[in-house]
Amino acid sequence: MNNRQLAFFCGLAAGFVLKGFCDLAMTPRREPAGPPRVRTAGRREMEDPPRDWDMVDEQGDESFPASDPPGNY
């Protein structure tokens, strides 16, 4: 490899490093996300409630995220 090729590859590598630093500097910083919002149980609390909603759906929604099933089965 001669000096001209070496200079070309060094310049190319330096360009990639500079581009990476510029990308990092221009990236907007985001605030850390807070804890996820847990909605209250019930069809009225949903943003897009389903049309069909019966007692089984209500009991399942009220028991989420607990692992225990409703006690009236």
Side-chain angles (χ1 to χ4, degrees), residues 26-73:
M26 297 302 291
T27 303
R29 296 179 191 250
R30 290 182 271 162
E31 294 295 322
R37 182 185 165 285
V38 178
R39 81 170 162 80
T40 308
R43 187 170 182 224
R44 291 185 195 136
E45 300 296 324
M46 295 181 177
E47 291 179 13
D48 189 20
R51 289 184 180 187
D52 299 327
W53 189 261
D54 57 9
M55 185 185 352
V56 175
D57 294 324
E58 184 74 25
Q59 291 172 350
D61 190 53
E62 289 174 353
S63 70
F64 186 80
S67 61
D68 299 333
N72 60 353
Y73 57 93

Side-chain angles (χ1 to χ4, degrees), residues 13-32:
F16 279 115
V17 170
L18 182 62
K19 169 89 169 85
F21 282 127
C22 289
D23 287 346
L24 283 175
M26 297 302 291
T27 303
R29 296 179 191 250
R30 290 182 271 162
E31 294 295 322

Side-chain angles (χ1 to χ4, degrees), residues 1 4-22:
M1 181 180 289
R4 184 177 253 174
Q5 290 173 332
L6 183 62
F8 172 76
F9 286 119
C10 287
L12 189 64
F16 279 115
V17 170
L18 182 62
K19 169 89 169 85
F21 282 127
C22 289

